[in-house]
Amino acid sequence: MTHLSLFSSVSKSIFLLFCLSLCAFAQTTELSGRVTDASSAAVANARVTLRPRAGNGATTTQTDAQGAYRFARVLRGEYVLTVEASGFARFVQTPLQTLDASNAKQDVTLSVASVNDAVVVTAAGTPQTVDETSKSVSVVEASEIALRDEYSLIEALRLTPGMRVQQLGGPQALAVIKTRGLRNEDTAVLIDGFRFRDASAIAGDASSFLADLLFVNQNCLEVVRGSGSSLYGTNAIGGVINVVSDEGGGAPHGSLQAEGGQLGFFRTRGNIAGGFANDRLVYNLGLAHLNVANGLDGDDNARNTSGQGFVKWNATAAASLSARLFGNRVNMLLNDSPYNAPAANLPTTGIVPARALALEQQRLLEAGQTFALGNATFIPGLNDPDYRRRAHTLAGALRWQHALSSSLSYQLGYQGLTTARAFLDGTRGRRFEPSFNNRTDYDARIDTANARLDWLAARVNQLTVGYEFEREGYDNPSTDENPNLAQRTNARTTINQRSHAFYVQDQLRLLSERLQVSLAFRAQNFQLSRPTFFGGAPQYNNATFAAPPTAYTGDGSVAYFIKSSSTKLRAHVGNGYRAPSLYERFGTGFFGGSFSPYGDPRLRPDRSIAFDAGVDQQLFKGRVRASANYFYTRLQEVTTFDFSGFINPATDPFGRFGGYRNTGGGLARGAEFSVQAKPTLTTDVMVSYTYTNSDQRRPSSVAGFIPVFGVSDHVTTAYVNQRIGKRVDVTFDLFATSDYFVALGFPSRAFQFDGPVKADLGASYTLPLANDHSVRFYGKVENVFNREYFESGFRTPKAMFVGGATYKF
């Protein structure tokens, strides 16, 4: 079945169910109310959201000039109601019952004196308040992202407890995330609950486009730390990041933003949102463009154009059809990888202190002139004037949701995700340059279709049962421009794989909802079509291929809320997995002057088991929320690349002398501490500290060395926003880590790098205009302390100024 036919079949099925639901009978009511402040004054343009317990759909509207809101058609049942308005703490009420009245009324009084509450969906797949969640959860709001003036989602995540975020260079450079001391590929990324990954990436994860995800019109980022494979499948070993779209609704509104700064940095962004026919149709459309003309080297230009649209049709009070489209196009120059200095500059044994080649000497080296090495032990990523990456991503999703009654609902969903990356390199540059211009493409397609049933039994037991089908394809052509056609590289690998997954989750709310218990299970089976190879890897041609073994995962969590002291105790245990990527199983490349394989079709899924426990405490009438967590994850088996002679070509069935294989994993344990506080009515503070001890089970690239590369033992973050009057905001955030290790050279040595200390300082002034419009003028200095630091050997920007304006209407 082609991708088009699959999409057509799913679309027809959803449309048929949609038409049938128009005739379905469901008891409805109206929910209305008025939103005011502590002085009983109306709060206009407040965002009011209603989320049903049975399912994860949401309906949003806005208050009018008198503070009134109205949901004309609401299926009778149990809901979570949230109200948000600028300058006020978020209001969250649960459970909200609309069972017993033909017209329900819920007035809301907003406060400015407490820490924001939140409603999260990712932790359990259904709406829960923070007090109900039995897992470690963080939420990064769009309002915080705007106050910090972060242009990318990766930067917005930098202050999240338990996460080590690295951007390997200037704006748009490759970015990686390590959650709780685990590997980059151990964090799953979702957009609106759909897995978002690149089937052609080395580890089959989201690392290839993390840096490309711009802030366009998202509502928030939900981060769940700890194993999540039982709900979300592959890669959810260390945590899950869910990018939640803003659905729009209410009167037409939107924003226009433009900013510029040093390094030739320029960004524009705009969106428009609203609703029609009493929000029966809601929408939110956004577009962002980033252009870095110069970059860190003066020759690192990068461009990124990203768009996102969301449309939802509330056909009846019980049924809705939503569509989301996300896409981007990226074009940027790349630097070479860092490398070690000559042996004369290195200690003969042990750990190597990382001392970079001075910048002025690096520029001489890049220009091909004589340079002085000094006491440098490594060379940062050199500028390569003809090494380029081109990429585009397109993801479209449909979701049909239908409540059959107040306690029973189902949903059907489909997402088509295509990714295309091309790496082009020429003969210019200073290190390992090819003899001829060459190009390698990584093209992938993932189709995901799922069906899910939610049953809320007697208000205390919610059962979720689901099925997911996924098909992924990978196409990897490689060519060069050798003038001798007989010697020209023209290789291609094409692979297709399918999987079927079944999952079930049971959530219990006992003891007047003070005790929350959740149990989940998932099984995923894989089916492989025979790969095709051309012009490169004959060793695979006669091999017998098998799909990876079925992956089984289980998950359990419990939380108990002590209402008298506002204390929540929680614990979570589960096992996770990561399916071996198509690249790890069938990858090929140049070794020793010949094109040969280094993948292993026999690879098994990576496996883990994890446990965490913690306590959340509210103090001073909600003005302070503190959290402490202990976490422990054992990687029982992982996939690693071994090029140290472990593989013997005489005994390996594919004739390899280096490549991927399964081996023992590692161990990561530690603790997270965080505090959110509102010490005054105009001050917001967040502080976190994470300690991580992460070790490999056995040494890999560096003999005798077991700490995990790229992981800092200590990470501290801080965020302060101070409002001065009604128009001025001053924002400060800090990200600081202890030293960490990076493997450089061949054979590899362990280099010890100082951890980054990066502080940003910004200020803004908001000018109110007529008809509730406004203009916000702002400026920000990134790395305000002007600290020089390196991320895994890549030089990063020192102090950098950015300023701009945002018009809201």
Side-chain angles (χ1 to χ4, degrees), residues 347-353 702 705 749-751:
T348 55
T349 60
I351 295 171
V352 180
V702 179
F705 191 82
R749 297 284 300 275
F751 283 68

Side-chain angles (χ1 to χ4, degrees), residues 595-618:
F595 205 73
S596 60
Y598 46 74
D600 189 340
R602 304 165 299 175
L603 289 177
R604 299 177 296 275
D606 295 358
R607 298 178 298 110
S608 71
I609 186 167
F611 168 78
D612 61 86
V615 57
D616 300 325
Q617 179 66 58
Q618 292 189 40

Side-chain angles (χ1 to χ4, degrees), residues 421-433:
R421 295 178 292 127
F423 291 86
L424 300 89
D425 199 5
T427 58
R428 300 163 62 192
R430 306 306 306 171
R431 181 173 170 82
F432 296 137
E433 297 305 312

Side-chain angles (χ1 to χ4, degrees), residues 42-197:
V43 178
N45 299 318
R47 178 187 177 93
V48 185
T49 304
L50 197 62
R51 295 177 174 86
R53 284 287 204 181
N56 64 359
T59 305
T60 300
T61 190
Q62 287 182 302
T63 58
D64 59 21
Q66 288 71 46
Y69 72 90
R70 175 172 172 263
F71 295 99
R73 299 171 307 147
V74 178
L75 185 68
R76 297 184 181 182
E78 185 176 339
Y79 292 84
V80 178
L81 178 72
T82 62
V83 182
E84 304 167 79
S86 178
F88 295 92
R90 181 185 294 105
F91 172 90
V92 177
Q93 172 150 344
T94 183
L96 174 65
Q97 299 285 333
T98 58
L99 282 168
D100 303 319
S102 59
N103 286 282
K105 188 172 180 63
Q106 179 68 44
D107 293 331
V108 173
T109 300
L110 297 182
S111 169
V112 296
S114 61
V115 173
N116 264 342
D117 204 348
V119 175
V120 294
V121 176
T122 313
T126 55
Q128 292 181 319
T129 68
V130 170
D131 289 338
E132 295 173 318
T133 305
S134 53
K135 300 177 182 178
S136 300
V137 178
S138 297
V139 180
V140 184
E141 306 285 356
S143 57
E144 179 191 331
I145 297 173
L147 284 171
R148 290 167 50 192
D149 186 36
E150 302 292 6
Y151 68 90
S152 71
L153 299 183
I154 189 75
E155 286 297 317
L157 292 166
R158 188 179 287 274
L159 305 183
T160 306
M163 282 192 164
R164 173 68 165 98
V165 173
Q166 291 181 291
Q167 186 145 33
L168 308 183
Q172 279 293 132
L174 177 70
V176 296
I177 293 177
K178 292 180 171 64
T179 303
R180 289 183 166 175
L182 300 175
R183 306 162 301 169
N184 307 328
E185 57 265 35
D186 292 332
T187 300
V189 177
L190 319 173
I191 294 185
D192 296 325
F194 284 100
R195 219 170 15 257
F196 203 74
R197 64 185 186 89

